[in-house]
Amino acid sequence: MALLTLQNFYKETIAVACSAGATNIYVTNKPTPTEGYLVISAGTENLREIIKYTATGTDGTGDYVTVTLAN
């Protein structure tokens, strides 16, 4: 029986405050894979959030990951 190996979770901090409904979340350094899971760290092990991102990019504000909002 083959086991499914999950991609390593990339850990990063948010670089620019984001508002409710934002689809691009700016991080200090974007991950290399263009989609996957990202651990947002607030600087403490007790306050972490895991998000799924579907794309990465860079613009005039910096590096970002794109998330799809649930309806």
Side-chain angles (χ1 to χ4, degrees):
M1 178 173 143
L3 295 175
L4 175 64
T5 303
L6 295 176
Q7 169 187 348
N8 289 334
F9 285 83
Y10 184 82
K11 181 179 175 185
E12 196 52 71
T13 54
I14 295 175
V16 176
C18 55
S19 61
T23 56
N24 287 344
I25 297 176
Y26 290 90
V27 293
T28 52
N29 294 296
K30 67 181 177 184
T32 302
T34 56
E35 63 180 84
Y37 292 92
L38 176 68
V39 179
I40 302 293
S41 176
T44 176
E45 294 297 317
N46 296 330
L47 299 173
R48 292 179 287 179
E49 184 173 350
I50 298 171
I51 62 169
K52 181 177 182 190
Y53 65 94
T54 56
T56 63
T58 303
D59 62 16
T61 303
D63 291 339
Y64 63 85
V65 295
T66 301
V67 296
T68 302
L69 301 176
N71 289 330

